């Protein structure tokens, strides 16, 4: 059971992000297709980066009893796409939350035009 601890933690974390997203309607619950394209593009880009790093011998798979041991490719654990999705989804939510907060602050500071 400990072999799935890391994958489970990633899944729980992704679920937590989805709950936050649903609560504040930031990404998938506001613009689902755009959010999916953004996260998927990030994951594919980082997987390509990982592939290049593995091919050049820069990256290597660590050994941990908390990982499943299943590989998608040599030295590429099955947990990696989940981690990358977590990374991209977190970044997207933070970006959108800060953008929303900035727009709200700007609109609060904007001078009000008097109706004449």
């Amino acid at each position: 059971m400990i072999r799935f601890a890391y994958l489970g933690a990633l899944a729980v974390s992704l679920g937590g992000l989805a709950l936050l997203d649903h609560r504040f309607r930031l990404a998938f619950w506001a613009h689902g297709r755009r959010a999916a394209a953004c996260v998927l593009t990030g994951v594919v880009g980082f997987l390509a980066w990982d592939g290049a790093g593995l091919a050049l011998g820069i990256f290597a798979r660590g050994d941990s009893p908390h990982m499943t041991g299943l590989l998608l490719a040599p030295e590429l654990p099955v947990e990696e796409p989940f981690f990358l999705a977590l990374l991209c989804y977190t970044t997207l939510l933070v970006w959108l939350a800060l953008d929303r907060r900035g727009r709200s602050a700007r609109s609060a500071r904007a001078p009000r035009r008097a109706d004449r």
Side-chain angles (χ1 to χ4, degrees):
M1 196 63 169
I2 196 166
R3 287 183 51 193
F4 291 91
Y6 181 49
L7 186 59
L10 291 171
V12 167
S13 298
L14 283 165
L17 289 177
L19 287 174
L20 284 171
D21 185 7
H22 181 265
R23 164 65 179 89
F24 294 104
R25 304 277 195 265
L26 292 169
F28 284 95
W29 275 267
H31 305 285
R33 287 187 180 150
R34 281 193 260 176
C38 184
V39 171
L40 186 61
T41 300
V43 170
V44 169
F46 280 122
L47 282 175
W49 179 291
D50 282 351
L54 290 169
L56 294 171
I58 297 169
F59 300 151
R61 178 178 58 99
D63 192 24
S64 170
H66 305 290
M67 295 175 61
T68 62
L70 301 173
L71 301 176
L72 296 175
E75 298 295 315
L76 185 65
V78 73
E79 292 89 354
E80 187 70 7
F82 289 92
F83 169 73
L84 295 174
L86 179 70
L87 177 72
C88 294
Y89 196 16
T90 301
T91 304
L92 178 61
L93 292 181
V94 168
W95 176 270
L96 291 171
L98 291 175
D99 181 60
R100 180 181 289 176
R101 184 176 179 190
R103 279 190 277 134
S104 176
R106 282 190 303 274
S107 68
R109 286 192 312 256
R112 306 245 183 232
R113 292 176 52 179
D115 292 318
R116 293 181 184 183

